[in-house]
Amino acid sequence: MTWTVTPEPPDSSVAAALWRAYYTEVSDRYYLLHEGHRTDPAELEREIAADAGAELTPPKGQLLIARYAGEPAGSVGVRLLDADTAELTRVFVHESVRGKGGGRVLVRAAEDTARAFGATRLILDTRHDLVEARALYTHLGYEETAPHNDGVYAEHWFSKTLR
């Protein structure tokens, strides 16, 4: 089985389904850890609708979709912040195909996209409980840095110089 990664409009049905899966998982994980319950369905719908990914469209952004054996299995977004810096966001691999290299494939494709935008540095933030994500970023050469934003859920910040 092989991975492929291609650009996708954020408003496509494939992108919407992966965004829903991503947001549901990270939101439920947060609420279960901190409050002992899953995300309220009304809040989930409100938050999904509020962030449709419009910033992930060219010329300053791109949403990439990974397919495993031809089926949509993950996503990653790249957003150009300034002439030199891009941000990595929405890194997600569907649970059914985790452990098959999809995260690595997605992040590498995002790095190539950031370079194509002219970025020389890629930054990201993540939460403390997303230990698998933090391990992936470290494995791929990202270094933990001082905070670069004040995001409510940002607890770890990473940066990588793109060559």
Side-chain angles (χ1 to χ4, degrees):
M1 303 281 179
T2 60
W3 288 96
T4 58
V5 179
T6 56
E8 183 86 20
D11 61 354
S12 76
S13 61
V14 168
L18 286 166
W19 171 233
R20 176 174 291 283
Y22 165 83
Y23 192 81
T24 300
E25 181 175 331
V26 298
S27 183
D28 279 354
R29 194 166 172 170
Y30 178 85
Y31 277 110
L32 285 167
L33 178 65
H34 295 285
E35 298 184 19
H37 64 82
R38 294 191 180 282
T39 310
D40 174 71
E43 177 187 353
L44 184 67
E45 293 308 316
R46 194 171 49 252
E47 293 301 318
I48 288 170
D51 190 0
E55 76 282 2
L56 301 178
T57 57
K60 294 195 172 197
Q62 186 69 67
L63 178 68
L64 302 171
I65 299 297
R67 287 176 172 78
Y68 184 73
E71 294 298 317
S75 63
V76 65
V78 178
R79 179 173 62 148
L80 194 60
L81 301 177
D82 61 40
D84 300 317
T85 307
E87 181 181 32
L88 188 68
T89 185
R90 292 193 188 192
V91 180
F92 174 70
V93 174
H94 200 283
E95 187 176 16
S96 65
V97 292
R98 288 190 189 143
K100 299 180 184 298
R104 192 170 41 255
V105 167
L106 276 165
V107 173
R108 295 283 190 223
E111 291 172 355
D112 290 343
T113 298
R115 282 187 201 91
F117 285 149
T120 58
R121 181 172 76 119
L122 198 53
I123 63 172
L124 64 97
D125 65 70
T126 192
R127 293 192 330 234
H128 185 72
D129 62 302
L130 300 176
V131 294
E132 305 90 345
R134 292 183 9 243
L136 172 67
Y137 303 136
T138 300
H139 177 76
L140 294 176
Y142 288 78
E143 295 180 355
E144 196 152 356
T145 65
H148 58 258
N149 65 25
D150 58 358
V152 143
Y153 301 108
E155 297 171 320
H156 293 269
W157 296 263
F158 290 85
S159 177
K160 181 177 181 178
T161 300
L162 301 175
R163 295 185 179 3

